[in-house]
Amino acid sequence: DRLDAAQSSETGLLIRRALDLRAALKLGVRVSLDEIRADEFYAMLILEEERERLDQERIDHRTS
């Protein structure tokens, strides 16, 4: 189906790697920047920005 195709696309695999790296870092795995590809790093930045935006939207929604 379309979800499987998206997840196995180049972009989907990049997002999966970025999410896996983020989870590993949260678990305390030590990874140097030399071990992270540039595209993975930028994907991690985008994911973090989106997470912060979503959190802010939730806070704004609760206070309105």
Side-chain angles (χ1 to χ4, degrees):
D1 67 6
R2 288 175 47 171
L3 180 58
D4 289 334
Q7 289 177 335
S8 58
S9 70
E10 185 176 338
T11 302
L13 294 172
L14 171 61
I15 293 169
R16 177 80 265 152
R17 287 193 311 271
L19 289 168
D20 290 346
L21 277 167
R22 188 172 182 258
L25 291 168
K26 284 187 170 195
L27 290 171
V29 175
R30 298 204 182 266
V31 179
S32 75
L33 280 176
D34 292 336
E35 299 174 86
I36 300 174
R37 294 180 2 192
D39 59 347
E40 292 169 337
F41 179 73
Y42 290 119
M44 290 171 68
L45 289 177
I46 291 167
L47 290 168
E48 191 60 32
E49 289 171 2
E50 288 299 311
R51 168 63 56 202
E52 289 175 9
R53 186 182 60 78
L54 180 61
D55 289 345
Q56 187 59 50
E57 287 178 5
R58 287 180 178 156
I59 290 168
D60 292 346
H61 180 71
R62 278 185 255 164
T63 60
S64 60

